[in-house]
Amino acid sequence: MKVDKIHHFSDKGNSCIINTPRPPRHWYNYLWSEQGYCTQVSQIGHGRSYYINSKADMCMINNQDAKYLYLRDDDANVYWNIGEGPLNEEVEDFSCEHNIGYSILQSQKNGVHASWKLLVPHEGYNEVWVVKVRNNTDKVKNISVFSTVSFELEGFNYPRYYEMYRSCETFFDERLNGIYCQSKHPFTPHNRYNSYIACSETVHAFDGNLGEFLGDLGSYTRLDAMPAPLFQRPDVVVKGRDCTNSLTTLVNLGGVLQNKLVLAAGEEKELYYVLGVSESLEEAVQTMEQYSNRDRIEQALLETKEHQKCKYAGLHIVTPHEKLNVLMNEWVKKQIDFCIVGKKGVRDNLQIAVALLNYRQERAKEEIIECLRHQFKAGHAVLTWYPYDATRYSDQPFWIIWAVCELIKETGDYSLLDMEIEYQDEGSATMLEHVKAAVNRLIEDKGKHGLVRIFFADWNDALNITTDPDAESVMLSQQFCYALKELSALIRRLGDTGYAGYLDEQYHILRNAINEMAWDGSWYMRALSKEENIGSKDSKGSTIYINAQSWAVLADIPDEEKLPKVLDSMDSMEHDFGFPINMPPYTEYSPHVGRMAGMLPGLFENGGVYCHATGFKIMADCKAGRGVEALRTLLKIIPDSEANPSTQSGAEPYVFTNCYSIHPKYYGKSYQSWTTGTSAWGLMSLLEGIMGIKRDYDGLRIDPCFPADWEEAQVFREFRGTRYDITIRNPSRLSEGQPEIQVDGSLINGNLLPLFQDDRTHSVEVVLKPKPSNTKVVI
């Protein structure tokens, strides 16, 4: 692949090599275990480490993301970090490799080469650091290595004045060969609110009190009078001192281990560190012993790599775009997987879980069930369960219906609908009853125009119509139409034609109401309220919203006359970086619109390019048979795009971001990556939309929406105990083609693949043929 001065990919795309410690902003990797231990690693090695269990009880190990490695040439009193920060001392030959399974930083300073590998074994509650230091001179070198971490152990609710620091103290333990921070907090939700940092080699000195390590000026005082440590110029490091063997309670909790190395000319030594949480000191000692030698660490890395390979092996995509292949085949699958760890919200996690169904079905099923546990008996759900937030958003019932339908399509297991699942507030019900409660909630939430009310917000958190509690959401009403069609198809397969007919009736009632009340002549409005309709040509501020157009197409709302106008209206919103949520941006705050109008024009939801919403638009393009537009739009929002490279956006070049700013003072820049639903919709828009590999109740369907310049693409997809090796060919370079399919050399009727369920691989050849002249795209 092309190599530039900032980054390039290697190891078949599994590694991103960053060639500078100073990219536009910190570029992170995330590594985690199946038990919920997670570490964030920047290109300089710092980042937060935490443990969150299956009940979303958080233990944030370190504050201020403090996790640093300092080196010092003791003879010359030359000190540095491998990644230059936080000391800001320049190094030579720097590189950071962010891999799917680990991160490695390396550089050279004053004739000393050092590397720092960080990994999280796929089983356990800890991370492992492998530090190598090599003397590249012809003289003996005396080197001090300082491994440093702060201890916070916060992240859960407790009574007032029971802050964690009042219950913690640090110890140095000889058996552990490290610092142990013990908590005796009486209200911890689990027993893993103890943390430690330990080393395989003899510790020369230590500090459990960061104040002693950092020095008198190494902190600032917060409003609560607590010292906050500053790690830029630790006294011990820069003044050539040794750690003081200090311990503490209450303030400046942390762990610093000083190791002294004597390196002959050309000699290299390795040190192994473990940072983690434990239920007891004894467990910490056992974990350190487990990772105190190279063989065990290499074994853990191999096991973790194999585990990740198995996790993501059920899906592989090859397209004519190499950047798409690198992005989608490991990094985005990892990003989606991580969102389950990093997010705890019903709406968010259901979208993530549906994307995860494409390659990690059991984990996706677990997450969908977990989300249903946070639904109230009345049919709505919490916004997030960590941190707990029950603010009344209107859209969670839609995502519940949609996700359960997709789960049954993927598994073919209708017995799941009879599974008993508890509610957030009281009692329990079957999965199907949870879905019906969601349907009832949305029907009962209709307003005076027959559309579903928006309450605090729908999918767009920032659209808060505070001046009208009865305001109605056009987008959610369209989504509900989509859900009614999906659920009706499922219910008919269960044999309940009466309820299916009721759902069909509700669909037509709601669709008619949307077309009657929300159509603005060329596009659909975004919301209806007594003050004014939002997203209308007559609206103050923004006159059009993208989501009301994309979901109209997805839910079959427009008729043949309206559809071209809707598509034209979407096209009119195009920007180099994607599609803004609304146009033009609001220039003045309005309580009638809420938070989005309180942001500067072009930032976030106020006219920014919200990539998640652009993902909806790509799926609408595919529904309308617009493969060229779909691919062009997807290529706009992928990381490090041609129009908005990572050097401008600041976003990591290997994962999707949430949005791009079009404000001139923040132009093109990204805000948040990793934990964004853009990852889910980015993958689905390529696999299910453009490639057309779609789960269905009766099996796997092939319905591509190829761009005309794609001649061939491949997909490997596991589905219900069968492995399908699918090649799609477009010899006539059609923008709309009809698939002709052979399975294992035999032509099949239609586009539904046979269900073998034989744990074997079957070859699928798809050739796109011209559609009959009288064939129209049905919307």
Side-chain angles (χ1 to χ4, degrees):
M1 297 190 68
K2 180 183 177 181
V3 177
D4 64 28
K5 63 180 180 180
I6 299 296
H7 77 278
H8 67 276
F9 288 94
S10 67
D11 188 21
K12 299 179 180 178
N14 290 330
S15 287
C16 180
I17 310 299
I18 304 165
N19 302 312
T20 172
R22 302 172 187 271
R25 70 179 192 207
H26 289 306
W27 286 357
Y28 290 106
N29 196 6
Y30 283 88
L31 309 165
W32 68 95
S33 74
E34 295 303 318
Q35 281 69 39
Y37 184 94
C38 179
T39 191
Q40 175 196 49
V41 185
S42 75
Q43 81 287 346
I44 69 168
H46 89 304
R48 63 200 58 184
S49 294
Y50 60 90
Y51 165 61
I52 184 166
N53 68 7
S54 60
K55 295 182 179 179
D57 299 317
M58 169 72 78
C59 174
M60 183 64 68
I61 296 173
N62 55 337
N63 59 36
Q64 296 182 284
D65 299 346
K67 181 172 57 184
Y68 298 112
L69 198 69
Y70 302 87
L71 295 98
R72 186 178 67 205
D73 184 330
D74 288 337
D75 299 319
N77 196 34
V78 174
Y79 40 82
W80 70 98
N81 306 107
I82 295 174
E84 295 196 357
L87 283 168
N88 290 326
E89 296 290 334
E90 290 188 2
V91 297
E92 301 170 348
D93 302 324
F94 169 85
S95 71
C96 169
E97 178 185 0
H98 281 331
N99 183 275
I100 295 296
Y102 57 84
S103 286
I104 302 177
L105 289 73
Q106 57 184 330
S107 67
Q108 183 159 292
K109 179 80 170 180
N110 209 41
V112 177
H113 182 274
S115 68
W116 181 14
K117 176 188 283 188
L118 301 95
L119 64 105
V120 174
H122 74 280
E123 295 285 345
Y125 307 91
N126 61 280
E127 60 193 84
V128 178
W129 304 354
V130 179
V131 177
K132 298 181 182 181
V133 185
R134 185 175 69 248
N135 179 5
N136 283 341
T137 73
D138 57 2
K139 297 180 181 179
V140 173
K141 287 277 188 181
N142 292 286
I143 304 297
S144 282
V145 180
F146 301 88
S147 55
T148 308
V149 66
S150 62
F151 290 129
E152 182 175 86
L153 309 183
E154 287 277 8
F156 63 100
N157 293 322
Y158 44 71
R160 189 179 181 191
Y161 296 131
Y162 275 86
E163 290 86 359
M164 175 60 81
Y165 59 77
R166 303 173 190 267
S167 305
C168 286
E169 55 184 321
T170 57
F171 301 87
F172 183 82
D173 186 82
E174 297 286 346
R175 293 180 305 149
L176 179 65
N177 200 34
I179 299 285
Y180 190 76
C181 186
Q182 183 179 48
S183 164
K184 292 187 177 180
H185 199 288
F187 293 100
T188 55
H190 58 73
N191 294 326
R192 293 192 179 277
Y193 285 87
N194 310 291
S195 190
Y196 61 94
I197 184 168
C199 184
S200 62
E201 301 301 315
T202 301
V203 172
H204 175 76
F206 61 85
D207 274 309
N209 181 351
L210 292 175
E212 296 297 324
F213 175 69
L214 298 170
D216 294 337
L217 301 181
S219 67
Y220 66 93
T221 303
R222 299 183 301 201
L223 291 177
D224 61 0
M226 290 294 293
L230 298 170
F231 294 87
Q232 281 77 10
R233 310 292 289 180
D235 269 10
V236 164
V237 175
V238 302
K239 294 182 178 180
R241 300 173 182 171
D242 289 341
C243 287
T244 66
N245 293 347
S246 64
L247 297 170
T248 190
T249 183
L250 190 64
V251 297
N252 285 320
L253 297 158
V256 183
L257 304 180
Q258 180 184 7
N259 297 96
K260 288 207 169 188
L261 307 178
V262 179
L263 297 175
E267 185 179 10
E268 180 179 86
K269 288 187 178 180
E270 289 187 359
L271 303 92
Y272 311 123
Y273 299 91
V274 174
L275 171 64
V277 293
S278 68
E279 293 189 348
S280 66
L281 174 60
E282 196 62 37
E283 180 189 332
V285 170
Q286 292 174 1
T287 303
M288 184 62 237
E289 290 175 348
Q290 184 180 4
Y291 294 104
S292 61
N293 66 81
R294 176 190 292 182
D295 290 344
R296 176 61 192 110
I297 292 171
E298 288 300 317
Q299 180 185 354
L301 181 58
L302 289 173
E303 290 172 353
T304 299
K305 284 183 175 180
E306 184 62 27
H307 176 71
Q308 290 167 333
K309 179 181 177 182
C310 292
K311 277 202 302 183
Y312 305 148
L315 176 67
H316 189 79
I317 303 170
V318 179
T319 76
H321 285 265
E322 187 178 7
K323 185 177 287 187
L324 274 182
N325 300 338
V326 168
L327 179 66
M328 295 294 184
N329 279 318
E330 295 299 335
W331 286 105
V332 171
K333 287 189 286 187
K334 175 178 176 173
Q335 183 181 11
I336 293 168
D337 199 15
F338 172 69
C339 283
I340 296 294
V341 179
K343 281 179 167 286
K344 301 298 174 186
V346 170
R347 165 223 291 161
D348 299 311
N349 288 44
L350 285 172
Q351 292 174 81
I352 295 298
V354 169
L356 201 62
L357 282 171
N358 285 299
Y359 59 95
R360 203 178 176 202
Q361 292 81 14
E362 281 301 311
R363 183 66 187 91
K365 180 176 75 175
E366 292 171 5
E367 194 64 19
I368 291 170
I369 293 169
E370 180 64 27
C371 288
L372 292 183
R373 292 193 179 103
H374 298 285
Q375 179 188 20
F376 294 104
K377 192 173 183 179
H380 60 295
V382 302
L383 177 65
T384 59
W385 63 90
Y386 182 83
Y388 183 82
D389 185 351
T391 303
R392 185 67 190 278
Y393 282 64
S394 57
D395 63 321
Q396 280 91 345
F398 159 70
W399 300 110
I400 288 171
I401 301 165
W402 172 70
V404 169
C405 289
E406 294 299 313
L407 174 63
I408 303 305
K409 287 180 185 178
E410 182 69 35
T411 63
D413 185 0
Y414 293 88
S415 69
L416 288 172
L417 297 170
D418 297 322
M419 175 186 290
E420 196 80 9
I421 303 170
E422 60 268 29
Y423 283 114
Q424 173 74 31
D425 47 353
E426 58 175 331
S428 62
T430 66
M431 183 181 289
L432 182 57
E433 288 169 333
H434 275 262
V435 171
K436 289 183 175 181
V439 171
N440 293 340
R441 178 75 274 143
L442 292 173
I443 291 174
E444 292 173 14
D445 284 345
K446 286 183 180 181
K448 64 180 181 180
H449 299 100
L451 276 62
V452 184
R453 285 181 291 162
I454 197 169
F455 295 99
F456 179 78
D458 54 20
W459 175 88
N460 186 347
D461 302 79
L463 180 57
N464 317 123
I465 307 176
T466 59
T467 56
D468 184 4
D470 295 318
E472 296 156 88
S473 167
V474 177
M475 175 187 178
L476 176 56
S477 300
Q478 294 165 338
Q479 290 179 311
F480 189 27
C481 279
Y482 184 96
L484 288 166
K485 290 187 70 175
E486 289 291 311
L487 185 58
S488 173
L490 172 58
I491 295 298
R492 287 188 190 281
R493 281 168 170 77
L494 300 178
D496 189 349
T497 56
Y499 187 60
Y502 169 74
L503 296 174
D504 293 340
E505 180 184 7
Q506 290 298 318
Y507 169 79
H508 290 295
I509 291 172
L510 186 53
R511 179 178 184 265
N512 291 338
I514 294 169
N515 278 314
E516 180 180 352
M517 306 305 302
W519 179 247
D520 199 41
S522 295
W523 59 78
Y524 288 95
M525 303 176 202
R526 181 59 175 82
L528 309 179
S529 80
K530 64 182 181 182
E531 295 291 330
E532 70 165 0
N533 293 328
I534 293 173
S536 162
K537 62 180 181 295
D538 299 320
S539 298
K540 296 177 183 177
S542 290
T543 57
I544 183 171
Y545 282 68
I546 190 72
N547 287 334
Q549 319 320 315
S550 58
W551 279 98
V553 175
L554 290 170
D556 297 332
I557 303 298
D559 56 23
E560 290 186 1
E561 180 182 349
K562 291 183 176 69
L563 177 60
K565 296 180 180 180
V566 171
L567 297 175
D568 287 344
S569 73
M570 284 201 304
D571 292 343
S572 72
M573 300 181 72
E574 185 169 2
H575 186 278
D576 287 346
F577 308 154
F579 285 73
I581 282 186
N582 56 301
M583 288 180 61
Y586 292 95
T587 58
E588 295 181 2
Y589 175 71
S590 167
H592 178 56
V593 176
R595 179 162 60 95
M596 62 187 298
M599 306 178 215
L600 290 177
L603 296 182
F604 302 100
E605 291 97 332
N606 188 18
V609 172
Y610 219 79
C611 299
H612 190 156
T614 302
F616 300 153
K617 186 265 180 187
I618 300 169
M619 295 297 279
D621 282 331
C622 294
K623 178 71 181 287
R626 306 197 320 161
V628 173
E629 290 84 353
L631 178 62
R632 186 174 73 245
T633 304
L634 177 59
L635 294 177
K636 286 176 179 288
I637 63 169
I638 62 172
D640 197 39
S641 68
E642 289 187 10
N644 197 19
S646 291
T647 50
Q648 173 172 276
S649 72
E652 292 95 334
Y654 38 84
V655 289
F656 278 106
T657 188
N658 66 335
C659 61
Y660 297 119
S661 166
I662 61 173
H663 188 283
K665 294 182 179 178
Y666 205 67
Y667 190 73
K669 295 191 181 300
S670 158
Y671 175 67
Q672 172 189 326
S673 54
W674 279 101
T675 51
T676 170
T678 310
S679 59
W681 287 91
L683 178 69
M684 290 189 294
S685 66
L686 177 61
L687 176 67
E688 302 176 31
I690 295 171
M691 306 292 283
I693 313 299
K694 303 176 182 179
R695 65 183 74 87
D696 202 346
Y697 296 110
D698 298 320
L700 202 61
R701 288 194 183 276
I702 312 293
D703 188 18
C705 184
F706 261 33
D709 62 350
W710 275 20
E711 186 174 5
E712 183 176 308
Q714 294 88 37
V715 176
F716 176 85
R717 172 78 151 88
E718 292 183 0
F719 183 79
R720 298 193 200 172
T722 303
R723 296 185 292 273
Y724 296 101
D725 193 351
I726 305 166
T727 300
I728 305 171
R729 294 189 173 88
N730 186 18
S732 301
R733 303 297 181 94
L734 302 171
S735 58
E736 292 182 45
Q738 183 166 300
E740 180 181 273
I741 303 174
Q742 291 188 16
V743 179
D744 296 332
S746 298
L747 190 67
I748 66 169
N749 291 322
N751 64 351
L752 184 69
L753 300 184
L755 276 173
F756 297 97
Q757 297 180 297
D758 56 1
D759 196 30
R760 294 176 58 190
T761 300
H762 295 268
S763 176
V764 179
E765 298 284 333
V766 182
V767 178
L768 296 181
K769 301 283 189 176
K771 290 185 176 182
S773 57
N774 61 347
T775 300
K776 295 182 179 180
V777 177
V778 178
I779 299 293

